[in-house]
Amino acid sequence: EPEVTQTPSHQVTQMGQEVILRCVPISNHLYFYWYRQILGQKVEFLVSFYNNEISEKSEIFDDQFSVERPDGSNFTLKIRSTKLEDSAMYFCASSEAWTGQETQYFGPGTRLLVL
Amino acid sequence: LAKTTQPISMDSYEGQEVNITCSHNNIATNDYITWYQQFPSQGPRFIIQGYKTKVTNEVASLFIPADRKSSTLSLPRVSLSDTAVYYCLVLRGSARQLTFGSGTQLTVLP
C-alpha cells in the first residue's frame, strides 16, 4: 500500500535556527498538507498546497513558515527562525483531490524539539 | 464548521464490540462524517467515512441516523492493538483542511 514518508523522524535544533522538514507524498496525489500536534494537544492544520501554491493556511502558519515542492516528489516545510513553542510533531498528509470526500493520508511525522 | 462532541475516554475488553458516538448538531447538507484513528507518536489514519445510513468496511461500521446530527463508530471484537485515540470529523467540501477535536481515547483491556 502506498504511504506518505517523512524525514527526519526526529530533529533537535536550537532556538532561532532554521529547519526543513521533508515529506514524500503518495505519488498520484495532488493535494498536500502540513499539520502539527503539540504534545498532549490536538492535531492542528497548518497549510494546504495544490498546483504549486498555497490553497489555505491557518493562523499558525505565519511568516516564519513556508512550504515548497522543489521537485516532483518532495514537499517541504521550512521554519525560518524556530521558537521554543514550535516543538511538536509535524505531520505531512496528501490526498488525490479535495471534493470534501477525499481521504487524507498522513505520514508518520517528524518530532521537532527546539531548545 | 460543524462542532463535534464525543466522549473523552472509553474502556473496553478484548473481544467486545465498541461503539463510539459523536454528536454534530449543526452539520450542513453537504458535509460528510469521517473517523480517524491515531496511535501514540503516529499520524492519524483514516478509518471510515459516510454521509447517511450505514457504511461498513473491513475495519469498522459507521451508523448515521436520518437527521445526521450524530454518528456512531462501531468496532467489532476489539483487540489490545485497537487502543488509540479515535476522532470524529465533519468534512465540508469547500474547506481543504481537517479539523480535529480532542477525540476519544479508547483503551482495550485484556
Side-chain angles (χ1 to χ4, degrees):
Chain A
E1 182 179 315
E3 55 183 25
V4 175
T5 59
Q6 292 185 241
T7 54
S9 58
H10 294 77
Q11 173 100 41
V12 181
T13 190
Q14 296 290 324
M15 190 170 57
Q17 295 295 304
E18 174 182 285
V19 295
I20 297 176
L21 309 183
R22 291 183 168 80
C23 168
V24 178
I26 294 173
S27 60
N28 64 331
H29 285 185
L30 301 176
Y31 285 85
F32 315 115
Y33 314 83
W34 283 101
Y35 293 81
R36 80 171 185 191
Q37 186 173 31
I38 295 170
L39 186 64
Q41 298 189 24
K42 300 175 186 178
V43 177
E44 300 174 290
F45 169 77
L46 293 178
V47 66
S48 62
F49 191 85
Y50 170 71
N51 200 26
N52 282 319
E53 57 183 36
I54 291 174
S55 296
E56 288 184 343
K57 59 181 181 179
S58 70
E59 291 177 354
I60 303 168
F61 194 87
D62 60 22
D63 291 344
Q64 69 164 145
F65 292 93
S66 62
V67 289
E68 192 179 29
R69 187 151 163 85
D71 53 46
S73 59
N74 290 285
F75 179 51
T76 62
L77 174 70
K78 182 191 292 187
I79 310 176
R80 255 180 281 283
S81 177
T82 50
K83 308 184 187 106
L84 296 177
E85 54 265 36
D86 294 328
S87 296
M89 282 286 283
Y90 287 81
F91 297 109
C92 173
S94 69
S95 64
E96 273 188 79
W98 188 251
T99 61
Q101 305 168 43
E102 294 296 329
T103 300
Q104 289 188 23
Y105 294 87
F106 284 75
T110 293
R111 184 179 296 280
L112 176 64
L113 179 61
V114 182
L115 302 176
Chain B
L1 286 174
K3 181 174 160 40
T4 60
T5 303
Q6 53 184 124
I8 294 173
S9 64
M10 293 180 72
D11 289 344
S12 181
Y13 291 95
E14 278 193 291
Q16 290 189 331
E17 178 184 78
V18 169
N19 296 309
I20 306 174
T21 297
C22 175
S23 67
H24 25 78
N25 289 319
N26 59 340
I27 192 168
T29 303
N30 296 328
D31 291 346
Y32 278 74
I33 299 149
T34 296
W35 286 77
Y36 277 76
Q37 173 194 57
Q38 187 181 27
F39 298 112
S41 298
Q42 293 188 28
R45 186 175 75 102
F46 171 83
I47 301 174
I48 198 166
Q49 178 172 281
Y51 182 78
K52 61 180 178 181
T53 64
K54 178 184 174 182
V55 180
T56 297
N57 62 20
E58 64 276 7
V59 176
S61 294
L62 179 60
F63 299 90
I64 305 168
D67 66 6
R68 304 199 329 121
K69 292 184 186 300
S70 66
S71 59
T72 299
L73 174 72
S74 180
L75 305 171
R77 297 182 298 283
V78 293
S79 64
L80 297 176
S81 62
D82 292 317
T83 293
V85 178
Y86 291 81
Y87 298 98
C88 164
L89 294 87
V90 171
L91 304 188
R92 186 146 296 170
S94 59
R96 290 184 173 84
Q97 58 179 274
L98 298 178
T99 301
F100 288 84
S102 301
T104 297
Q105 171 66 59
L106 173 65
T107 303
V108 180
L109 305 167

